[in-house]
Amino acid sequence: MNRFATITAAVFAATTFALPVHAQVSIKDPWVRATVSQQKATGAFMQITSTQDARLVEARSPVAGVVEVHEMTMEKDVMKMRAVPALDLPAGKAVELKPGGYHVMLMDLRQQMKAGDTVPLTLVVEGKDKKRSSVEVKATVKPLAAATPAKTDHQHKH
Ligand SMILES: [Cu+2]
């Protein structure tokens, strides 16, 4: 019991104090979009703030075979996603990963993402000195409906 409590505390501490010497990275509101059964991919979203200039260079999760940092853009009314090699985290600026923009793409899912579940993510952040640190994140799975970005035009019934 005590031992478990200690481990839990260590995990939470890591979320904020992963880079005590170089930069501190904090993660706000991490969440994962719920999936339906057989769905093989989904996105993880959050706000990342680093105290010093850094870059998000890698993400991992035990629930997915492949994890990439993606950027979503609109090209001629078509949503396109592409993997980015790194996401800049300018000092003191909250970088938002959200539907329709940057996201952590979870692919080759090993299980269904059910609302209310907690998904562990590991973010690898590289400082200016090229030193890498990992940040442990616990993301909450949110239901599909709530997670869908507002597109009222498309949802109106005429
Ligand atoms: Cu994607």
Side-chain angles (χ1 to χ4, degrees):
M1 181 89 172
N2 273 343
R3 178 182 243 189
F4 179 75
T6 307
I7 291 167
T8 307
V11 167
F12 278 106
T15 308
T16 317
F17 303 110
L19 309 166
V21 181
H22 307 280
Q24 287 181 6
V25 174
S26 56
I27 308 293
K28 213 177 127 198
D29 299 333
W31 63 279
V32 169
R33 192 195 298 258
T35 61
V36 293
S37 59
Q38 308 307 318
Q39 189 180 338
K40 282 294 173 201
T42 190
F45 311 93
M46 68 202 76
Q47 250 185 43
I48 308 174
T49 310
S50 174
T51 56
Q52 295 179 29
D53 285 342
R55 302 186 318 151
L56 172 63
V57 291
E58 195 187 329
R60 292 190 291 265
S61 176
V63 302
V66 178
V67 183
E68 293 177 350
V69 180
H70 275 192
E71 179 183 24
M72 191 177 265
T73 52
M74 285 291 272
E75 284 175 30
K76 293 175 187 160
D77 292 339
V78 181
M79 283 275 216
K80 290 204 169 161
M81 293 197 298
R82 67 185 182 95
V84 291
L87 175 59
D88 281 334
L89 305 173
K93 184 172 181 282
V95 175
E96 196 155 2
L97 279 62
K98 61 182 181 201
Y102 288 109
H103 54 279
V104 172
M105 193 82 196
L106 305 171
M107 291 172 287
D108 204 359
L109 289 175
R110 300 194 168 112
Q111 64 202 64
Q112 186 181 356
M113 302 290 107
K114 292 185 180 147
D117 283 359
T118 299
V119 175
L121 298 170
T122 302
L123 305 181
V124 180
V125 174
E126 186 182 274
K128 265 186 165 170
D129 54 6
K130 299 288 174 199
K131 282 204 176 123
R132 292 187 172 195
S133 306
S134 49
V135 184
E136 302 298 330
V137 179
K138 300 260 181 247
T140 306
V141 179
K142 291 196 184 174
L144 279 172
T148 306
K151 276 191 186 165
T152 43
D153 282 359
H154 296 193
Q155 285 166 358
H156 273 171
K157 286 188 178 130
H158 295 284

PDB file of all heavy atoms in Angstrom, residues 41-43 68-72 80-83 101 103-107, ligand 1:
ATOM      1  N   ALA A  41      -7.210   3.915 -34.730  1.00  0.00           N
ATOM      2  CA  ALA A  41      -6.413   5.122 -34.479  1.00  0.00           C
ATOM      3  C   ALA A  41      -7.254   6.183 -33.798  1.00  0.00           C
ATOM      4  O   ALA A  41      -8.474   6.247 -33.967  1.00  0.00           O
ATOM      5  CB  ALA A  41      -5.865   5.671 -35.804  1.00  0.00           C
ATOM      6  N   THR A  42      -6.592   7.004 -33.016  1.00  0.00           N
ATOM      7  CA  THR A  42      -7.271   8.144 -32.402  1.00  0.00           C
ATOM      8  C   THR A  42      -6.233   9.199 -32.056  1.00  0.00           C
ATOM      9  O   THR A  42      -5.041   9.017 -32.307  1.00  0.00           O
ATOM     10  CB  THR A  42      -8.081   7.718 -31.162  1.00  0.00           C
ATOM     11  OG1 THR A  42      -8.914   8.807 -30.745  1.00  0.00           O
ATOM     12  CG2 THR A  42      -7.170   7.338 -29.996  1.00  0.00           C
ATOM     13  N   GLY A  43      -6.685  10.309 -31.489  1.00  0.00           N
ATOM     14  CA  GLY A  43      -5.762  11.396 -31.163  1.00  0.00           C
ATOM     15  C   GLY A  43      -5.727  11.677 -29.674  1.00  0.00           C
ATOM     16  O   GLY A  43      -6.707  11.455 -28.966  1.00  0.00           O
ATOM     17  N   GLU A  68       2.738   8.994 -33.182  1.00  0.00           N
ATOM     18  CA  GLU A  68       3.431  10.072 -33.892  1.00  0.00           C
ATOM     19  C   GLU A  68       2.852  11.418 -33.468  1.00  0.00           C
ATOM     20  O   GLU A  68       1.718  11.504 -33.018  1.00  0.00           O
ATOM     21  CB  GLU A  68       3.233   9.922 -35.407  1.00  0.00           C
ATOM     22  CG  GLU A  68       3.905   8.708 -35.999  1.00  0.00           C
ATOM     23  CD  GLU A  68       3.626   8.542 -37.485  1.00  0.00           C
ATOM     24  OE1 GLU A  68       2.751   9.252 -38.037  1.00  0.00           O
ATOM     25  OE2 GLU A  68       4.276   7.695 -38.094  1.00  0.00           O
ATOM     26  N   VAL A  69       3.651  12.460 -33.650  1.00  0.00           N
ATOM     27  CA  VAL A  69       3.138  13.815 -33.452  1.00  0.00           C
ATOM     28  C   VAL A  69       2.657  14.287 -34.820  1.00  0.00           C
ATOM     29  O   VAL A  69       3.400  14.242 -35.795  1.00  0.00           O
ATOM     30  CB  VAL A  69       4.229  14.757 -32.906  1.00  0.00           C
ATOM     31  CG1 VAL A  69       3.661  16.166 -32.712  1.00  0.00           C
ATOM     32  CG2 VAL A  69       4.767  14.222 -31.574  1.00  0.00           C
ATOM     33  N   HIS A  70       1.399  14.688 -34.888  1.00  0.00           N
ATOM     34  CA  HIS A  70       0.794  15.058 -36.169  1.00  0.00           C
ATOM     35  C   HIS A  70       0.352  16.513 -36.188  1.00  0.00           C
ATOM     36  O   HIS A  70       0.055  17.096 -35.159  1.00  0.00           O
ATOM     37  CB  HIS A  70      -0.464  14.210 -36.425  1.00  0.00           C
ATOM     38  CG  HIS A  70      -0.173  12.894 -37.056  1.00  0.00           C
ATOM     39  ND1 HIS A  70      -1.166  12.111 -37.580  1.00  0.00           N
ATOM     40  CD2 HIS A  70       0.984  12.227 -37.235  1.00  0.00           C
ATOM     41  CE1 HIS A  70      -0.617  10.996 -38.072  1.00  0.00           C
ATOM     42  NE2 HIS A  70       0.674  11.040 -37.869  1.00  0.00           N
ATOM     43  N   GLU A  71       0.281  17.007 -37.399  1.00  0.00           N
ATOM     44  CA  GLU A  71      -0.288  18.322 -37.635  1.00  0.00           C
ATOM     45  C   GLU A  71      -1.465  18.133 -38.577  1.00  0.00           C
ATOM     46  O   GLU A  71      -1.379  17.372 -39.537  1.00  0.00           O
ATOM     47  CB  GLU A  71       0.776  19.203 -38.300  1.00  0.00           C
ATOM     48  CG  GLU A  71       0.290  20.588 -38.622  1.00  0.00           C
ATOM     49  CD  GLU A  71       1.359  21.403 -39.352  1.00  0.00           C
ATOM     50  OE1 GLU A  71       2.242  20.793 -39.991  1.00  0.00           O
ATOM     51  OE2 GLU A  71       1.304  22.629 -39.273  1.00  0.00           O
ATOM     52  N   MET A  72      -2.572  18.818 -38.267  1.00  0.00           N
ATOM     53  CA  MET A  72      -3.726  18.703 -39.149  1.00  0.00           C
ATOM     54  C   MET A  72      -3.961  20.053 -39.806  1.00  0.00           C
ATOM     55  O   MET A  72      -3.946  21.091 -39.153  1.00  0.00           O
ATOM     56  CB  MET A  72      -4.950  18.296 -38.352  1.00  0.00           C
ATOM     57  CG  MET A  72      -6.122  17.906 -39.201  1.00  0.00           C
ATOM     58  SD  MET A  72      -7.509  17.366 -38.167  1.00  0.00           S
ATOM     59  CE  MET A  72      -7.268  15.610 -38.161  1.00  0.00           C
ATOM     60  N   LYS A  80      -6.148  17.278 -43.772  1.00  0.00           N
ATOM     61  CA  LYS A  80      -4.976  16.450 -44.021  1.00  0.00           C
ATOM     62  C   LYS A  80      -4.125  16.378 -42.771  1.00  0.00           C
ATOM     63  O   LYS A  80      -3.985  17.367 -42.050  1.00  0.00           O
ATOM     64  CB  LYS A  80      -4.159  17.029 -45.171  1.00  0.00           C
ATOM     65  CG  LYS A  80      -4.864  16.878 -46.491  1.00  0.00           C
ATOM     66  CD  LYS A  80      -3.888  16.897 -47.650  1.00  0.00           C
ATOM     67  CE  LYS A  80      -4.610  16.477 -48.927  1.00  0.00           C
ATOM     68  NZ  LYS A  80      -3.884  16.883 -50.116  1.00  0.00           N
ATOM     69  N   MET A  81      -3.568  15.215 -42.537  1.00  0.00           N
ATOM     70  CA  MET A  81      -2.690  15.053 -41.386  1.00  0.00           C
ATOM     71  C   MET A  81      -1.319  14.637 -41.872  1.00  0.00           C
ATOM     72  O   MET A  81      -1.188  13.895 -42.828  1.00  0.00           O
ATOM     73  CB  MET A  81      -3.202  13.936 -40.478  1.00  0.00           C
ATOM     74  CG  MET A  81      -4.492  14.245 -39.803  1.00  0.00           C
ATOM     75  SD  MET A  81      -4.742  13.127 -38.408  1.00  0.00           S
ATOM     76  CE  MET A  81      -4.808  11.544 -39.207  1.00  0.00           C
ATOM     77  N   ARG A  82      -0.321  15.177 -41.193  1.00  0.00           N
ATOM     78  CA  ARG A  82       1.010  14.698 -41.514  1.00  0.00           C
ATOM     79  C   ARG A  82       1.826  14.633 -40.234  1.00  0.00           C
ATOM     80  O   ARG A  82       1.598  15.382 -39.288  1.00  0.00           O
ATOM     81  CB  ARG A  82       1.677  15.606 -42.545  1.00  0.00           C
ATOM     82  CG  ARG A  82       1.991  16.982 -42.034  1.00  0.00           C
ATOM     83  CD  ARG A  82       2.550  17.858 -43.144  1.00  0.00           C
ATOM     84  NE  ARG A  82       2.880  19.179 -42.614  1.00  0.00           N
ATOM     85  CZ  ARG A  82       4.098  19.526 -42.196  1.00  0.00           C
ATOM     86  NH1 ARG A  82       5.094  18.678 -42.280  1.00  0.00           N
ATOM     87  NH2 ARG A  82       4.318  20.718 -41.705  1.00  0.00           N
ATOM     88  N   ALA A  83       2.777  13.718 -40.220  1.00  0.00           N
ATOM     89  CA  ALA A  83       3.644  13.590 -39.063  1.00  0.00           C
ATOM     90  C   ALA A  83       4.660  14.715 -39.083  1.00  0.00           C
ATOM     91  O   ALA A  83       5.166  15.088 -40.145  1.00  0.00           O
ATOM     92  CB  ALA A  83       4.350  12.234 -39.097  1.00  0.00           C
ATOM     93  N   GLY A 101      -5.803  20.574 -35.087  1.00  0.00           N
ATOM     94  CA  GLY A 101      -4.462  21.138 -35.089  1.00  0.00           C
ATOM     95  C   GLY A 101      -3.437  20.067 -34.779  1.00  0.00           C
ATOM     96  O   GLY A 101      -3.543  18.942 -35.267  1.00  0.00           O
ATOM     97  N   HIS A 103      -1.658  17.173 -32.764  1.00  0.00           N
ATOM     98  CA  HIS A 103      -2.140  16.131 -31.860  1.00  0.00           C
ATOM     99  C   HIS A 103      -1.122  15.012 -31.786  1.00  0.00           C
ATOM    100  O   HIS A 103      -0.254  14.898 -32.651  1.00  0.00           O
ATOM    101  CB  HIS A 103      -3.496  15.594 -32.305  1.00  0.00           C
ATOM    102  CG  HIS A 103      -3.527  15.124 -33.730  1.00  0.00           C
ATOM    103  ND1 HIS A 103      -3.671  15.985 -34.792  1.00  0.00           N
ATOM    104  CD2 HIS A 103      -3.404  13.888 -34.280  1.00  0.00           C
ATOM    105  CE1 HIS A 103      -3.654  15.297 -35.919  1.00  0.00           C
ATOM    106  NE2 HIS A 103      -3.480  14.024 -35.647  1.00  0.00           N
ATOM    107  N   VAL A 104      -1.248  14.224 -30.756  1.00  0.00           N
ATOM    108  CA  VAL A 104      -0.451  13.006 -30.676  1.00  0.00           C
ATOM    109  C   VAL A 104      -1.320  11.901 -31.258  1.00  0.00           C
ATOM    110  O   VAL A 104      -2.416  11.646 -30.774  1.00  0.00           O
ATOM    111  CB  VAL A 104      -0.067  12.683 -29.216  1.00  0.00           C
ATOM    112  CG1 VAL A 104       0.597  11.313 -29.137  1.00  0.00           C
ATOM    113  CG2 VAL A 104       0.876  13.753 -28.664  1.00  0.00           C
ATOM    114  N   MET A 105      -0.855  11.311 -32.356  1.00  0.00           N
ATOM    115  CA  MET A 105      -1.645  10.304 -33.056  1.00  0.00           C
ATOM    116  C   MET A 105      -1.319   8.926 -32.503  1.00  0.00           C
ATOM    117  O   MET A 105      -0.151   8.522 -32.484  1.00  0.00           O
ATOM    118  CB  MET A 105      -1.293  10.363 -34.550  1.00  0.00           C
ATOM    119  CG  MET A 105      -2.242   9.611 -35.428  1.00  0.00           C
ATOM    120  SD  MET A 105      -3.686  10.650 -35.743  1.00  0.00           S
ATOM    121  CE  MET A 105      -4.815   9.404 -36.359  1.00  0.00           C
ATOM    122  N   LEU A 106      -2.350   8.261 -32.034  1.00  0.00           N
ATOM    123  CA  LEU A 106      -2.174   6.895 -31.534  1.00  0.00           C
ATOM    124  C   LEU A 106      -2.698   5.951 -32.604  1.00  0.00           C
ATOM    125  O   LEU A 106      -3.876   5.972 -32.928  1.00  0.00           O
ATOM    126  CB  LEU A 106      -2.964   6.702 -30.233  1.00  0.00           C
ATOM    127  CG  LEU A 106      -2.658   7.694 -29.103  1.00  0.00           C
ATOM    128  CD1 LEU A 106      -3.664   7.528 -27.967  1.00  0.00           C
ATOM    129  CD2 LEU A 106      -1.242   7.487 -28.582  1.00  0.00           C
ATOM    130  N   MET A 107      -1.801   5.140 -33.155  1.00  0.00           N
ATOM    131  CA  MET A 107      -2.197   4.244 -34.233  1.00  0.00           C
ATOM    132  C   MET A 107      -1.911   2.803 -33.842  1.00  0.00           C
ATOM    133  O   MET A 107      -1.140   2.540 -32.922  1.00  0.00           O
ATOM    134  CB  MET A 107      -1.448   4.601 -35.514  1.00  0.00           C
ATOM    135  CG  MET A 107      -1.902   5.931 -36.090  1.00  0.00           C
ATOM    136  SD  MET A 107      -0.873   6.474 -37.469  1.00  0.00           S
ATOM    137  CE  MET A 107       0.582   6.957 -36.614  1.00  0.00           C
TER     138      MET A 107
HETATM  139 CU    CU B   1      -3.137  12.352 -36.890  1.00  0.00          CU
END
